[in-house]
Amino acid sequence: MEEDQDIVVSLKNHDLVEQVLKEPDSESMKESESSHVPPPSLAEVEEVMGYSFGNKELLKEAFTLGSYKADDCKSYERLEYLGEAVLNHLIAKLHYLSYADMAPGELTRLCAANVDTEALARAALKYNLHKFLRHRKPLLHRQIQEFMEGIEQYPSHSHGMIDPPKVLADLLESLIGAIFIDTDSSIDSTWELHPVAKFNEACQKMGVKAQEKDLWSKTGEIEVYIDNELIGRGKYKLKKVIAVNRAKDDAYNNLFLFEKKYGGNGG
């Protein structure tokens, strides 16, 4: 606000302030207008995540920034605080069990690399979670766009070469916090709720390898096979990631029959 006042004062001496106030630049207008466009329905988030909230208010809160004041919903800050702690616990537990010979200092560095701002922001973008943000921050659209352009230049972690919007990392953590509360503080449910993660982990435990058949561009379908046997199918023409989630969820539900048929070893 003070910076804007300084700009106005400097323009008064050049008789330009009236023109500037009446004719804002088109870029600023686009940003202002886009910031007031209602976000898509949060029901789509449940499709992407493969999880249906019992308390829909938690889902709404997880995607609401403090700048969004269209209703009485709280901002996501408290959920983000909780989700950060839950995520660190989950990652620490995974690393502890997976790397039995790794020293504590190495585990700490590995955990930090997995939950840093850029890694989490990339994950949020992967599932297009940013499109559901409820906010009134005009510059945020530009920051996210610049981050997406940076990812194209650095497909892997840039290690400080690009600037990820912290709000994207916060968003992912707030969503984790919301799921944790919605599952009655169940760590296991929070970790395993995503259908792709559940299916992949189950396959690993069974010692089998799954293959995907991508028919999405033609029919909107994804098929999942194990040893050339169809075990799951998912269809959703509007978004491929949802078709994949549905296919993996269907495959996961059929894994017991497969295990029983092949004795748990795929043959």
Side-chain angles (χ1 to χ4, degrees), residues 24-232:
D25 63 272
S26 59
E27 187 65 28
S28 298
M29 290 181 66
K30 289 179 181 179
E31 288 182 350
S32 178
E33 291 171 358
S34 62
S35 68
H36 288 77
V37 174
S41 170
L42 289 171
E44 195 170 327
V45 174
E46 295 179 307
E47 289 280 7
V48 172
M49 298 303 298
Y51 176 77
S52 179
F53 276 82
N55 184 351
K56 304 298 184 183
E57 289 300 309
L58 283 171
L59 175 60
K60 185 166 67 172
E61 182 179 336
F63 282 83
T64 302
L65 275 67
S67 62
Y68 193 88
K69 299 177 181 178
D71 52 36
D72 297 328
C73 184
K74 300 177 182 177
S75 75
Y76 69 13
E77 293 176 351
R78 285 172 54 83
L79 287 176
E80 182 266 326
Y81 161 79
L82 176 63
E84 180 181 8
V86 172
L87 180 60
N88 275 283
H89 171 81
L90 291 169
I91 295 297
K93 178 182 177 181
L94 174 65
H95 290 164
Y96 177 82
L97 296 175
S98 301
Y99 306 103
D101 298 327
M102 188 172 286
E106 294 176 305
L107 288 172
T108 298
R109 289 191 292 272
L110 182 60
C111 182
N114 279 273
V115 297
D116 75 349
T117 299
E118 182 177 332
L120 296 181
R122 284 174 177 265
L125 280 185
K126 178 180 179 181
Y127 293 102
N128 291 314
L129 297 181
H130 63 290
K131 294 182 178 180
F132 302 92
L133 270 171
R134 295 146 50 87
H135 68 94
R136 290 286 187 267
K137 289 188 173 182
L139 291 179
L140 184 55
H141 297 285
R142 182 186 297 177
Q143 293 169 348
I144 293 176
Q145 182 60 40
E146 290 177 352
F147 181 53
M148 295 173 68
E149 293 170 359
I151 288 179
E152 293 180 0
Q153 185 175 1
Y154 298 94
S156 301
H157 200 295
S158 74
H159 302 287
M161 301 298 288
I162 56 179
D163 184 23
K166 185 175 181 297
V167 67
L168 294 180
D170 292 346
L171 171 60
L172 191 63
E173 290 173 339
S174 68
L175 183 56
I176 291 172
I179 293 170
F180 180 69
I181 293 296
D182 199 59
T183 57
D184 294 326
S185 304
S186 172
I187 287 290
D188 290 337
S189 296
T190 303
W191 180 249
E192 297 177 1
L193 62 91
H194 197 282
V196 175
K198 288 196 302 183
F199 178 71
N200 291 344
E201 184 174 341
C203 286
Q204 186 176 12
K205 289 181 179 179
M206 289 172 55
V208 297
K209 187 174 182 180
Q211 300 84 33
E212 286 185 21
K213 186 174 183 180
D214 189 346
L215 304 173
W216 186 79
S217 61
K218 296 181 179 179
T219 66
E221 292 180 312
I222 299 291
E223 295 180 341
V224 180
Y225 291 82
I226 294 180
D227 289 346
N228 297 317
E229 180 177 341
L230 178 65
I231 192 173

